[in-house]
Amino acid sequence: MNSTTAADTEPKSNLHVSDEARGFSFFRGDFQDNPGASLEWARKEEPAFYNPDSDYWVITRYEDVKSIHNDFNSYSAANTLAPLTPLSSEAIEKLQEYQFAPIAALVDADPPLHRKIRRLNAPVFMPENVNRLEGYIRATITEHIDRFVESGHADLIADLLWDVPCLVALQFLGIPEEDVDTVRKLATSLTEFGWGQPGHDEQVRAAEHMGQFWEMGGRVIAKLKELQDPPGWLGHTIKLQREYPDVFTDSWLQTIVMGGTAAAHETTTNATANAVVTLLRNRGQWERLCEDPALIPTAIEECLRHSSSVTAWRRLSKVDTEVSGVTIPAGSKILTVIASAHYDTDVFDQPEVFDIDRDNVDSHIAFGSGSHTCLGNHLARLEMRVFLEELTRRLPHMQLDDQVLTYLPNTSFRGPEALHVSWTTSGSLRS
C-alpha cells in the first residue's frame, strides 16, 4: 500500500519484447478466463518475460516462482502492497487528507524484521487457536443457508460467501461486528487500488475508500486499546505493542486492520467460490464429496491448485538476477504467477485436469512458500472445509445456473463477482 509515482515505473523501452509478451495482459482476455492455462506459451517458450502493459517482469514456471519466493538475498517483498498503477496527484492528495501512512507489516516485510514479526504473531495462527472458531463458523454458515435454502436458488457470493468470511475475519481480528458493512464496502476498492488498472476517477474513488479504511482502523485500535485484555489478533498485537513499542507502532496496527481484514476475508471468499465452481463443473467429484465428506480436505488442496484465488504475487529484484536464462536487472518489479506455476507440466501431470486423487496435490503454493507462507492458511482451510461440508450436506443436488462468470480485473486475486446456483427444493435437501 506504499504509494508509487510515474517516475518509479518508467517503461523499459530499450528491452526487446516479443509479440506474445507485448500482447499479454493481466486485465483482460485469456488471463481473466483461465490464468493458469493462459500462460502455457510462456512456460514453454518464454518463462520469464517483460510485460509492458503492467511494467512487470512475469515469471511463469513452478521452480522459478518458488525459488524467487524463498530468496531474500536477491529479492525483496517491499513492493508487495504498492499500487500497481502509479498514483495520480489527486489520489495522493486524497490519501494525505486521511493521513494514510501504512508501513511494512508481515506480507511486505523482509528479514530480519519479518522473522521477528512472524515469530511474535505466529501463536495466534496456530491450529489449536484457530480451531476454536469452528463452532462459530459452522453456526454462521448454517444461519446464512437457512435464509435461502427453501427458495431453490441463490447467488452464493451475495447470499453466503461474502458475508461469512467477513464475519469470521472480524471475529478473528477482534473487530466489532458493527463494522462489517464498512468492510464490505471498502474491500473491493482495496483490490482495485492495489492490483488493478483503475482509471483516474476510479483511482480517486478507491483512494477515498482506502483513506476511510485507514481511518476506521484507527477508530478500531483506539476502542480496543481501552480494554485491559483486548480480543483477537489485534488484541494480541496491542499487547505486543506494550512490550515492543518500536516494532508494533500505531501505524503498524492500522496497517494490520486493513491488510489482515483483506487477507482473511476476500481471499477466502474467492477460494471457496472457485472451489464450488470447479467441483460443480466436475460433477462426479462433487458427488463423491457428498457421499464421503472425509474427502473434502484433500479436495480443497486440489481446488487451491487448480483454481487459485491468489493468482500472482510481487517481488522486487535487489541485484541483477537470472531466471530461466533471462537476466532481470536490479530494481525490476516482478510478478510471480502462482496460477501458472500450478499448471507447470514439469511438476503436475495433466494440470488442466481436476483430480482430487492427485498424488502430489500438496505441492501447490497457493499460500506462498518458505518464510512468507501465509500465516492464515489454517483459518482459510478451516473455513473452506466447513463451507463444503455444509453445502454438500444440505444442497447435494445444487447445480450451476447458466451464466457468464465475471472477475474483477487485477493481477493477483481471482474469484467470481456473482455465482448463481439452483436446486430442487422437494426431496433433495438433507437435514
Side-chain angles (χ1 to χ4, degrees), residues 220-345:
V220 168
I221 293 300
K223 279 192 267 186
L224 291 175
K225 278 188 171 186
E226 294 176 356
L227 305 176
Q228 181 63 33
D229 188 23
W233 182 23
L234 290 175
H236 179 79
T237 58
I238 287 170
K239 295 168 194 172
L240 287 174
Q241 186 187 52
R242 297 165 184 168
E243 189 172 355
Y244 304 96
D246 294 338
V247 176
F248 302 104
T249 63
D250 283 350
S251 290
W252 195 95
L253 296 174
Q254 282 180 258
T255 302
I256 286 298
V257 172
M258 295 181 65
T261 301
H265 171 212
E266 191 172 2
T267 54
T268 304
T269 293
N270 289 343
T272 308
N274 292 343
V276 170
V277 171
T278 303
L279 285 162
L280 293 181
R281 284 176 173 171
N282 293 269
R283 192 73 199 181
Q285 300 198 53
W286 167 264
E287 291 173 355
R288 288 179 65 191
L289 302 191
C290 293
E291 294 301 320
D292 185 3
L295 296 173
I296 288 175
T298 301
I300 287 170
E301 302 307 312
E302 175 65 348
C303 289
L304 290 168
R305 181 204 67 83
H306 185 273
S307 303
S308 305
S309 64
V310 178
T311 53
W313 214 233
R314 297 187 197 156
R315 287 294 182 263
L316 185 69
S317 60
K318 297 162 69 174
V319 297
D320 290 351
T321 62
E322 186 173 297
V323 180
S324 283
V326 175
T327 299
I328 297 179
S332 295
K333 299 176 297 182
I334 295 169
L335 275 163
T336 59
V337 187
I338 294 168
S340 176
H342 287 165
Y343 275 55
D344 190 334
T345 54

Side-chain angles (χ1 to χ4, degrees), residues 95-388:
L95 294 174
Q96 289 173 341
E97 289 177 16
Y98 288 94
Q99 298 181 311
F100 181 78
I103 61 175
L106 266 170
V107 70
D108 53 347
D110 289 334
L113 176 62
H114 177 265
R115 283 194 295 269
K116 182 174 185 178
I117 294 173
R118 187 180 179 94
R119 175 177 56 81
L120 292 171
N121 282 276
V124 181
F125 294 86
M126 291 298 99
E128 58 268 24
N129 290 321
V130 169
N131 290 344
R132 296 171 186 168
L133 287 171
E134 180 168 350
Y136 173 83
I137 294 169
R138 195 175 300 277
T140 307
I141 290 172
T142 297
E143 178 185 344
H144 279 68
I145 293 177
D146 285 345
R147 296 173 186 171
F148 60 75
V149 68
E150 297 297 338
S151 69
H153 59 85
D155 173 358
L156 286 185
I157 303 300
D159 296 334
L160 178 67
L161 297 180
W162 187 260
D163 275 357
V164 174
C166 184
L167 292 169
V168 174
L170 296 178
Q171 184 82 5
F172 178 74
L173 284 159
I175 298 175
E177 283 193 11
E178 60 261 27
D179 290 310
V180 66
D181 288 338
T182 303
V183 173
R184 181 207 301 271
K185 174 185 173 184
L186 302 178
T188 300
S189 290
L190 183 61
T191 298
E192 183 181 31
F193 179 84
W195 291 273
Q197 275 189 329
H200 176 272
D201 291 346
E202 290 80 9
Q203 188 181 72
V204 173
R205 175 186 52 77
E208 170 75 26
H209 287 173
M210 293 291 286
Q212 292 175 9
F213 213 160
W214 180 257
E215 196 173 66
M216 184 199 79
R219 293 196 302 270
V220 168
I221 293 300
K223 279 192 267 186
L224 291 175
K225 278 188 171 186
E226 294 176 356
L227 305 176
Q228 181 63 33
D229 188 23
W233 182 23
L234 290 175
H236 179 79
T237 58
I238 287 170
K239 295 168 194 172
L240 287 174
Q241 186 187 52
R242 297 165 184 168
E243 189 172 355
Y244 304 96
D246 294 338
V247 176
F248 302 104
T249 63
D250 283 350
S251 290
W252 195 95
L253 296 174
Q254 282 180 258
T255 302
I256 286 298
V257 172
M258 295 181 65
T261 301
H265 171 212
E266 191 172 2
T267 54
T268 304
T269 293
N270 289 343
T272 308
N274 292 343
V276 170
V277 171
T278 303
L279 285 162
L280 293 181
R281 284 176 173 171
N282 293 269
R283 192 73 199 181
Q285 300 198 53
W286 167 264
E287 291 173 355
R288 288 179 65 191
L289 302 191
C290 293
E291 294 301 320
D292 185 3
L295 296 173
I296 288 175
T298 301
I300 287 170
E301 302 307 312
E302 175 65 348
C303 289
L304 290 168
R305 181 204 67 83
H306 185 273
S307 303
S308 305
S309 64
V310 178
T311 53
W313 214 233
R314 297 187 197 156
R315 287 294 182 263
L316 185 69
S317 60
K318 297 162 69 174
V319 297
D320 290 351
T321 62
E322 186 173 297
V323 180
S324 283
V326 175
T327 299
I328 297 179
S332 295
K333 299 176 297 182
I334 295 169
L335 275 163
T336 59
V337 187
I338 294 168
S340 176
H342 287 165
Y343 275 55
D344 190 334
T345 54
D346 287 343
V347 180
F348 301 103
D349 185 44
Q350 294 184 292
E352 71 284 355
V353 175
F354 178 74
D355 180 10
I356 65 174
D357 298 316
R358 186 176 294 277
D359 289 340
N360 63 339
V361 65
D362 57 355
S363 296
H364 74 76
I365 49 175
F367 292 109
S369 178
S371 63
H372 264 259
T373 298
C374 176
L375 270 175
N377 73 88
H378 300 301
L379 179 58
R381 286 181 165 106
L382 172 62
E383 287 186 69
M384 291 181 72
R385 173 174 63 79
V386 179
F387 269 123
L388 291 180

